[in-house]
């Protein structure tokens, strides 16, 4: 119990004066003591006999007892015994008041549990000083008990295992004390742990790298360790050894605190396993994606082959028919010659006209087929090999568009190309071919769901790089005084546009709005990769139509590709 409660108000703080039980069989003595102590602010409870004193003390234990030894019934010594035997009053300090001043009486009073001995007649100043001293001691003892109880509660109730380890002179370590949590984690009793050598619990390497390191360095050491739990299971502990020094600065004890981190370690191991699984899955996805991209490239090349084959079929067929017609005319002329022994002038002139016309048709159509084959061969080689070479951009794009004629002529749409014929690049023409092919195919597939005639336009131009895009403005000019250049390709169509919700996703792999119609979602992803990785450029998309609905004006879609020259 503390000795403070409400009695006097000062600065809104309530202070309780000590409660003193005064026991004396003489009324005059009781009145005198009550008057003196009350004047000092003490709360005084007088008791004129032993029975009344016992009842008062048990109902409301005082902070101090002033006890006269010479009592008529059981006497002060016996009454003191009763107080000390009762758990309610055993901690209350007792000061004996008596006329006896011999050593035997004093000794007996202290043996019974008295804390002081005042002989009558007493001096008021001495009495008050001794009472105040005992009150202070009582208060300090009570505070010490409360603090000890609090610390013990925290010590045994905390979730961390606490172990106090003695550092012995021979360099070994012995467990001095453990709390309840340490006992629960280990599954052992206090007798099994306290007093044993740490070496019986842990491997020498663990002791050397942690306990000895803490002593030698004089600094806390933290580590993770797996120990065996009470049921034989593995328990992971996060342990910290903190050195405790004596007044001379020598490390004499280690305070080991351990937190059970088994759940965290299990989660970490599960996460590591899951991360590894996801890593393998990502690698598989990347490999599959790469294979699908290659498949998409080959599919585009296959479509190109089919279209070119169709285009070549017409001039080759015409040339074959013309050659066959001339062959028939030649055989007829030879038969007439063998039959008549001579040639009719008119028949010979007709044959010459036929041969001239057929030869012309054969030459024109074979030349046309040769041009188609040459263009296809160059574009196909560029798309499959992606080799770097010097080429004129606009004429090359014209060949790419020409190879797309089979796809375009079956639609009401038309593709136009504008720009400077003199723009020359040392780059990867196959990348340009794949970019334009995929952009055109994307427009033909998605931009005109109503099948209205559309205009697809490609514009190219060259300009100086802006200061924020150029190392030239930063002084890094490796081409003399000429600023770096860039090439801009703008591809536009006047189709339905791209909805705002889709615009941020169109370059993602496998994103398509026509999956149910066989769309792979790789075309624009391939375009993005070629522009940003192969050609080291940028690509932006914009559309004036917010939702791409056909009910609004057909503002279409614009792709702007910016490339370093």
């Amino acid at each position: 119990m503390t000795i403070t409660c409400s009695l006097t108000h000062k600065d809104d703080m309530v202070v309780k004066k000590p409660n003193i039980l005064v026991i004396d069989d003489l009324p005059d003595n009781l009145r005198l003591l009550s008057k003196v102590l009350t004047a000092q602010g003490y709360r005084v409870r007088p008791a004129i006999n032993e029975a009344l004193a016992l009842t008062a003390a048990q109902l409301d234990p005082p902070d101090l007892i002033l006890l006269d030894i010479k009592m008529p019934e059981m006497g002060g010594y016996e009454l003191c015994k009763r107080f000390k035997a009762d758990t309610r009053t055993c901690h209350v300090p007792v000061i004996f008041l008596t006329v006896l001043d011999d050593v035997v009486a004093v000794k007996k009073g202290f043996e019974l549990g008295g804390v002081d001995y005042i002989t009558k007649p007493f001096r008021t100043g001495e009495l008050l000083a001794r009472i105040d001293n005992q009150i202070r001691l009582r208060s300090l003892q009570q505070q010490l008990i409360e603090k000890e109880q609090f610390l013990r509660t925290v010590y045994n109730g905390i979730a961390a295992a606490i172990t106090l380890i003695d550092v012995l002179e021979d360099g070994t370590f012995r467990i001095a004390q453990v709390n309840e949590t340490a006992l629960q984690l280990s599954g052992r009793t206090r007798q099994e742990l306290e007093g044993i050598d740490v070496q019986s619990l842990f491997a020498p390497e663990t002791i050397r790298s942690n306990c000895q390191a803490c002593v030698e360095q004089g600094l806390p050491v933290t580590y993770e360790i797996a120990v065996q739990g009470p049921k034989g299971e593995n328990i992971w502990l996060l342990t910290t050894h903190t050195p405790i020094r004596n007044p001379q600065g020598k490390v004499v004890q280690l305070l080991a605190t351990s937190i059970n981190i088994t759940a965290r370690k299990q989660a970490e191991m599960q996460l590591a396993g899951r991360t590894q699984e996801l890593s393998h899955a990502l690698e598989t996805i990347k490999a599959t994606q790469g294979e699908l991209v290659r498949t998409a490239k080959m599919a585009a090349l296959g479509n190109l082959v089919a279209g070119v084959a169709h285009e070549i079929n017409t001039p080759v067929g015409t040339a074959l028919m013309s050659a066959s017609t001339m062959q028939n005319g030649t055989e007829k002329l030879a038969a007439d010659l063998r039959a008549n022994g001579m040639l009719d002038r008119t028949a010979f002139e007709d044959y010459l006209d036929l041969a001239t016309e057929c030869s012309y048709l054969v030459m024109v159509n074979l030349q046309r087929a040769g041009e188609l084959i040459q263009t296809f061969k160059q574009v196909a080689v560029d798309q499959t090999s992606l080799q770097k070479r010097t080429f004129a951009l606009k004429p090359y794009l014209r060949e790419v568009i020409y190879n797309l004629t089979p796809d375009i002529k079956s639609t009401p749409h038309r593709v136009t190309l504008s720009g400077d014929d003199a723009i020359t690049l040392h780059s990867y023409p196959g990348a340009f071919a794949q970019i334009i092919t995929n952009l055109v195919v994307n427009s033909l597939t998605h931009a005109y769901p109503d099948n209205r005639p559309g205009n697809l336009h490609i514009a190219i131009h060259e300009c100086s790089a802006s200061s924020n895009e150029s190392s030239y403005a930063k002084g890094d000019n490796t081409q003399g005084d000429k600023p770096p250049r860039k090439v801009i390709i703008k591809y536009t169509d006047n189709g339905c546009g791209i909805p705002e919700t889709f615009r941020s996703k169109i370059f993602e792999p496998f994103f398509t709005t026509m999956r149910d119609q066989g769309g792979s979602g790789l075309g624009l992803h391939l375009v993005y990769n070629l522009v940003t990785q192969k050609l080291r450029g940028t690509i932006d998309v914009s559309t004036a139509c917010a939702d791409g609905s056909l009910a609004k004006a057909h503002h279409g879609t614009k792709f702007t590709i910016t490339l370093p020259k």
Side-chain angles (χ1 to χ4, degrees):
M1 287 183 54
T2 60
I3 58 171
T4 59
C5 96
S6 64
L7 182 69
T8 305
H9 294 269
K10 182 179 181 181
D11 298 331
D12 296 330
M13 294 294 293
V14 181
V15 180
K16 174 187 172 184
K17 285 295 183 179
N19 173 7
I20 300 178
L21 178 62
V22 180
I23 307 168
D24 199 314
D25 61 331
L26 298 177
D28 291 340
N29 288 343
L30 282 180
R31 283 193 295 270
L32 176 61
L33 288 170
S34 297
K35 182 178 179 181
V36 171
L37 296 176
T38 302
Q40 296 300 317
Y42 294 115
R43 291 191 301 141
V44 180
R45 296 157 58 199
I48 199 166
N49 57 55
E50 293 93 324
L52 182 61
L54 282 173
T55 302
Q58 291 169 353
L59 291 176
D60 183 14
D63 297 310
L64 180 70
I65 297 175
L66 289 179
L67 176 59
D68 184 27
I69 293 178
K70 291 293 185 178
M71 299 288 289
E73 296 179 10
M74 65 182 71
Y77 290 141
E78 180 61 28
L79 188 55
C80 182
K81 283 183 183 180
R82 300 281 184 93
F83 287 142
K84 295 303 176 182
D86 193 328
T87 57
R88 291 168 289 184
T89 57
C90 62
H91 298 297
V92 179
V94 176
I95 297 179
F96 287 107
L97 295 173
T98 183
V99 295
L100 302 175
D101 60 354
D102 60 283
V103 175
V104 175
V106 173
K107 181 175 181 293
K108 184 176 180 180
F110 284 123
E111 288 175 349
L112 292 174
V115 296
D116 208 345
Y117 199 99
I118 301 176
T119 59
K120 298 177 182 179
F122 54 80
R123 290 186 294 273
T124 302
E126 179 186 355
L127 173 67
L128 294 176
R130 294 195 178 194
I131 289 175
D132 183 66
N133 182 54
Q134 294 301 326
I135 291 293
R136 290 177 183 274
L137 287 176
R138 166 72 171 156
S139 176
L140 292 174
Q141 288 172 351
Q142 190 64 33
Q143 292 177 21
L144 184 62
I145 291 172
E146 291 175 352
K147 288 182 179 179
E148 182 182 359
Q149 291 175 343
F150 172 75
L151 292 175
R152 186 166 297 278
T153 301
V154 173
Y155 177 71
N156 288 314
I158 195 170
I162 300 177
T163 304
L164 189 63
I165 303 172
D166 290 334
V167 181
L168 304 182
E169 291 295 334
D170 59 1
T172 59
F173 301 90
R174 183 179 60 201
I175 296 177
Q177 188 177 349
V178 295
N179 69 345
E180 291 296 328
T181 304
L183 297 177
Q184 294 170 7
L185 284 176
S186 65
R188 303 190 184 196
T189 64
R190 192 174 299 277
Q191 291 73 20
E192 291 175 325
L193 283 180
E194 293 182 349
I196 68 171
D197 194 328
V198 174
Q199 192 170 356
S200 64
L201 298 176
F202 301 101
E205 176 58 33
T206 301
I207 298 174
R208 184 166 49 254
S209 60
N210 298 298
C211 297
Q212 290 182 1
C214 183
V215 173
E216 293 170 0
Q217 300 171 11
L219 297 172
V221 174
T222 300
Y223 61 98
E224 294 180 358
I225 187 172
V227 299
Q228 192 175 51
K231 298 180 180 179
E233 75 280 18
N234 276 339
I235 296 178
W236 279 93
L237 299 177
L238 178 63
T239 300
T240 299
H241 283 130
T242 304
I244 300 176
R245 303 175 185 272
N246 63 10
Q248 290 73 38
K250 181 180 179 181
V251 177
V252 293
Q253 287 183 315
L254 300 179
L255 180 64
T257 56
S258 301
I259 301 174
N260 189 344
I261 58 170
T262 305
R264 192 194 79 185
K265 292 296 291 186
Q266 290 174 346
E268 287 178 355
M269 289 186 286
Q270 291 176 358
L271 180 60
R274 183 59 176 160
T275 301
Q276 188 174 11
E277 291 176 5
L278 291 176
S279 178
H280 290 328
L282 180 60
E283 292 299 325
T284 302
I285 290 174
K286 286 182 178 179
T288 304
Q289 180 179 333
E291 185 61 32
L292 288 173
V293 169
R294 285 190 293 273
T295 302
K297 291 180 181 179
M298 297 309 296
L301 185 60
N303 292 334
L304 180 63
V305 170
V308 170
H310 179 76
E311 286 297 302
I312 293 176
N313 186 59
T314 300
V316 170
T318 302
L320 183 60
M321 183 180 63
S322 300
S324 177
T325 302
M326 188 169 64
Q327 181 184 13
N328 291 336
T330 302
E331 290 175 352
K332 183 176 181 301
L333 183 65
D336 291 343
L337 179 61
R338 284 193 296 272
N340 301 323
M342 57 181 299
L343 292 176
D344 180 76
R345 182 180 180 85
T346 301
F348 185 69
E349 289 178 351
D350 290 341
Y351 171 75
L352 290 178
D353 292 339
L354 175 65
T356 300
E357 182 178 358
C358 287
S359 298
Y360 172 76
L361 290 174
V362 169
M363 288 298 297
V364 168
N365 283 280
L366 289 181
Q367 184 176 5
R368 168 65 175 157
E371 292 174 353
L372 286 171
I373 291 172
Q374 183 62 32
T375 302
F376 163 72
K377 182 173 70 173
Q378 184 60 64
V379 173
V381 168
D382 287 338
Q383 290 199 37
T384 53
S385 64
L386 288 182
Q387 294 297 313
K388 200 171 188 179
R389 64 182 176 88
T390 301
F391 63 99
L393 180 58
K394 185 179 177 182
Y396 184 77
L397 294 185
R398 189 179 295 117
E399 293 181 2
V400 173
I401 296 171
Y402 185 75
N403 279 282
L404 291 172
T405 300
D407 293 321
I408 299 171
K409 75 175 185 179
S410 60
T411 70
H413 315 308
R414 66 189 185 95
V415 181
T416 56
L417 176 65
S418 65
D420 187 358
D421 286 357
I423 298 176
T424 302
L425 298 175
H426 184 70
S427 186
Y428 302 92
F432 287 87
Q434 292 182 19
I435 290 169
I436 297 302
T437 298
N438 279 283
L439 290 177
V440 170
V441 171
N442 186 70
S443 293
L444 297 180
T445 305
H446 299 282
Y448 304 97
D450 55 353
N451 292 322
R452 64 182 180 82
N455 293 319
L456 288 66
H457 182 66
I458 304 168
I460 62 173
H461 69 278
E462 180 182 349
C463 62
S464 297
S466 60
S467 60
N468 62 344
E469 296 173 327
S470 167
S471 60
Y472 177 78
K474 302 176 183 178
D476 184 17
N477 181 16
T478 58
Q479 298 181 2
D481 295 332
K482 296 178 61 179
R485 309 285 291 174
K486 64 180 180 181
V487 173
I488 297 177
I489 303 175
K490 292 185 178 181
Y491 174 89
T492 59
D493 66 42
N494 62 341
C496 61
I498 301 174
E500 181 69 27
T501 55
F502 293 160
R503 205 173 311 158
S504 62
K505 303 178 182 179
I506 61 172
F507 294 126
E508 294 179 2
F510 310 113
F511 175 77
T512 178
T513 58
M514 302 183 68
R515 193 171 303 281
D516 56 339
Q517 301 178 34
S520 66
L522 291 172
L524 292 182
H525 175 63
L526 178 61
V527 169
Y528 180 82
N529 283 345
L530 288 171
V531 171
T532 59
Q533 297 180 23
K534 195 69 177 178
L535 301 180
R536 303 295 180 185
T538 61
I539 181 169
D540 296 312
V541 60
S542 61
T543 178
C545 186
D547 59 1
S549 62
L550 295 175
K552 297 186 177 182
H554 297 289
H555 296 286
T557 302
K558 177 172 71 173
F559 292 91
T560 302
I561 300 172
T562 304
L563 305 171
K565 189 171 185 296

